[in-house]
């Protein structure tokens, strides 16, 4: 290993890359990781000097509070490479703001902006070869924070670890998915942590999603916890409905994640002259629209999948199939977003952030 130093990051480079052992044409999402990772510890009331070192296991005390009280938050981002070899991030300022918002809700100290961006960019420069050009290829980035203090008393930790790991990725969902409208289980509740990317939010989804999968459905569209009458999110994604030529999506609240892809689609819809209503969406409204032929499409939106069309939904024992039109909004928005992210289309809103 060779050791170098940037302005604020201590760097230990891997002696040998493992990239030649990876089949980039056959990637399973989130199972292969690059040569390096970013690590920064919070101790004595402040964030210490960050470091980048070879990706690998780490030692952590079994009494670390993260294992017992779930103090953990994370983000999902992607890096892209154009055909000239230039590397870009997509709206990384949004991810930085959101991880600190999530941290504050979980009583975790906020992370410094300068460390976040220098860490990301230094890591991407070191592992640039892992970012493959071409639409559909990307490097998925996972910043996260965990409570590391070895203590099992029920209170916030005093030590934490902030990390960034990277995983080469292709399309998350290759086909349209079938979903169930939730009638019993809830993703989050009023006053809770649904708006935060807290680890426990996702762990709580696994059991009801497994039940749905046993019935032949890939995901759940979550409904409000109080009445299960209003549609809010699709699995780990935000959700859009096209009724006629109009888009509808649920408003942000303390149950719904403020998705970067979601807000980008709302802006793109405005750019294209597509009406988009941000309001509560009832289960009955969507069922009625499906019955009378007004419901043209449903799609999820998120960093991993970008845009994921939904081919059918089930509620109260009845399945409703979608027509899957060739000129779907899902295809239009996905093409536009990927074009911006890969530097193949104009970026009129300044969303691309070049890593130089």
């Amino acid at each position: 290993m060779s050791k170098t130093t940037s302005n604020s990051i201590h760097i230990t480079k891997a002696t040998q890359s493992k990239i030649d052992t990876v089949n980039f044409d056959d990637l399973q999402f989130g199972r292969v990781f690059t040569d390096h990772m970013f690590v920064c510890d919070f101790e004595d009331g402040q964030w210490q000097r960050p470091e980048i070192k070879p990706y690998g296991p780490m030692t952590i005390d079994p009494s670390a509070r993260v294992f017992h009280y779930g103090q953990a938050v994370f983000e999902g981002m992607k890096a892209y490479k154009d055909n000239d070899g230039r590397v870009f991030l997509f709206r990384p300022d949004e991810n930085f703001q959101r991880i600190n918002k999530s941290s504050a809700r979980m009583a975790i100290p906020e992370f410094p902006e300068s460390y976040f961006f220098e860490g990301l960019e230094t890591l991407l420069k070191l592992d640039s070869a892992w970012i493959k050009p071409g639409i559909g290829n990307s490097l998925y980035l996972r910043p996260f924070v965990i409570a590391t203090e070895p203590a099992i008393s029920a209170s916030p930790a005093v030590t934490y670890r902030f990390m960034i790991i990277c995983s080469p990725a292709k399309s998350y969902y290759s086909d349209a998915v079938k979903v169930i409208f939730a009638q019993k289980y809830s993703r989050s509740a009023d006053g809770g942590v649904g708006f935060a990317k807290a680890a426990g939010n996702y762990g709580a989804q696994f059991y009801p999603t497994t039940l749905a999968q046993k019935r032949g459905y890939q995901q759940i569209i979550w409904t409000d916890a109080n009445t299960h009458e209003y549609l809010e999110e699709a699995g780990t994604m935000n959700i859009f409905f096209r009724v006629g030529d109009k888009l509808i999506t649920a408003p942000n609240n303390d149950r719904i994640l403020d998705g970067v892809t979601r807000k980008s689609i709302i802006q793109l819809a405005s750019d294209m002259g597509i009406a988009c209503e941000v309001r509560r969406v009832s289960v009955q409204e969507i069922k009625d629209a499906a019955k009378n032929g007004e419901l043209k499409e449903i799609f999820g939106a998120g960093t991993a999948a970008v845009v994921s069309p939904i081919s059918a939904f089930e509620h109260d024992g009845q399945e409703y199939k979608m027509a899957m039109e060739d000129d779907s909004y899902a295809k239009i928005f996905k093409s536009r977003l990927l074009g911006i992210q890969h530097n193949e289309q104009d970026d009129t809103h300044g969303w691309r952030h070049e890593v130089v």
Side-chain angles (χ1 to χ4, degrees):
M1 298 181 185
S2 61
K3 297 185 178 181
T4 59
T5 303
S6 71
N7 291 334
S8 58
I9 302 175
H10 185 80
I11 301 171
T12 303
K13 294 182 180 179
T15 54
Q16 184 174 356
S17 176
K18 56 180 181 283
I19 193 169
D20 291 339
T21 67
V22 177
N23 181 356
F24 283 85
D25 294 324
D26 186 27
L27 291 170
Q28 288 184 284
F29 185 82
R31 292 185 176 272
V32 174
F33 298 93
T34 63
D35 294 319
H36 299 91
M37 60 186 184
F38 174 90
V39 181
C40 187
D41 290 321
F42 183 88
E43 298 173 352
D44 301 322
Q46 61 184 355
W47 291 101
Q48 304 298 305
R49 185 184 183 188
E51 62 177 320
I52 289 175
K53 58 185 180 180
Y55 179 92
M58 61 185 185
T59 300
I60 186 169
D61 199 292
S63 62
R65 290 189 193 271
V66 65
F67 298 135
H68 305 274
Y69 304 110
Q71 260 190 299
V73 299
F74 68 94
E75 268 300 319
M77 310 171 63
K78 283 182 178 179
Y80 310 87
K81 183 178 285 184
D82 70 9
N83 292 326
D84 295 323
R86 299 163 68 190
V87 175
F88 299 91
L89 295 167
F90 183 73
R91 308 189 73 174
D93 53 319
E94 296 283 348
N95 299 100
F96 169 72
Q97 293 167 14
R98 192 170 63 184
I99 197 169
N100 275 343
K101 182 179 178 182
S102 298
S103 294
R105 181 61 180 85
M106 298 298 291
I108 296 172
E110 296 184 9
F111 197 67
E113 184 174 8
S114 59
Y115 282 7
F116 181 82
F117 281 96
E118 186 181 0
L120 265 179
E121 297 199 4
T122 305
L123 190 58
L124 290 174
K125 290 172 187 176
L126 281 172
D127 287 342
S128 176
W130 291 79
I131 314 171
K132 301 302 180 182
I135 296 292
N137 295 322
S138 63
L139 186 67
Y140 186 82
L141 313 175
R142 172 52 59 89
F144 64 100
V145 193
I146 58 173
T148 55
E149 182 188 7
I152 56 172
S153 55
S155 61
V158 298
T159 62
Y160 297 87
R161 177 162 292 176
F162 182 99
M163 300 184 68
I164 306 173
I165 57 177
C166 310
S167 177
K170 297 184 82 69
S171 297
Y172 192 68
Y173 294 115
S174 56
D175 300 311
V177 298
K178 295 170 62 177
V179 301
I180 290 177
F181 287 1
Q183 292 182 268
K184 177 180 179 181
Y185 296 101
S186 302
R187 177 189 176 275
S188 58
D190 292 338
V193 297
F195 69 90
K197 284 188 77 72
N201 285 346
Y202 297 81
Q205 294 185 40
F206 295 159
Y207 176 67
T209 302
T210 298
L211 296 179
Q213 290 169 347
K214 289 179 179 178
R215 296 173 54 190
Y217 296 87
Q218 288 77 40
Q219 280 291 356
I220 296 173
I221 295 187
W222 302 103
T223 50
D224 69 290
N226 293 329
T227 67
H228 295 294
E229 293 178 2
Y230 294 93
L231 299 155
E232 299 196 326
E233 287 190 311
T236 58
M237 300 178 288
N238 295 117
I239 189 73
F240 286 86
F241 305 89
R242 177 184 175 185
V243 178
D245 290 329
K246 176 176 59 182
L247 270 185
I248 309 172
T249 191
N252 288 334
N253 53 42
D254 57 9
R255 301 183 305 277
I256 296 177
L257 186 72
D258 185 14
V260 178
T261 307
R262 171 189 176 274
K263 63 178 61 178
S264 301
I265 288 175
I266 292 172
Q267 180 60 61
L268 291 177
S270 176
D271 295 345
M272 298 174 189
I274 296 172
C276 182
E277 296 182 359
V278 180
R279 60 170 175 81
R280 299 185 81 185
V281 187
S282 74
V283 171
Q284 193 60 52
E285 174 186 2
I286 297 305
K287 289 172 67 174
D288 289 345
K291 291 174 183 177
N292 65 30
E294 282 292 299
L295 181 64
K296 302 301 183 183
E297 57 185 305
I298 307 174
F299 58 88
T303 297
V306 186
V307 174
S308 181
I310 290 169
S311 61
F313 69 88
E314 187 265 9
H315 183 262
D316 218 13
Q318 184 173 358
E319 184 174 280
Y320 302 80
K321 294 184 178 180
M322 311 301 300
M324 306 302 293
E325 300 181 9
D326 291 336
D327 61 343
S328 70
Y329 285 175
K331 289 181 180 178
I332 293 170
F333 289 129
K334 186 170 186 176
S335 176
R336 181 78 177 105
L337 282 169
L338 289 174
I340 294 170
Q341 291 164 345
H342 288 269
N343 195 30
E344 293 188 0
Q345 295 186 27
D346 290 339
D347 177 21
T348 57
H349 298 288
W351 290 340
R352 273 195 306 266
H353 174 92
E354 186 171 2
V355 177
V356 296

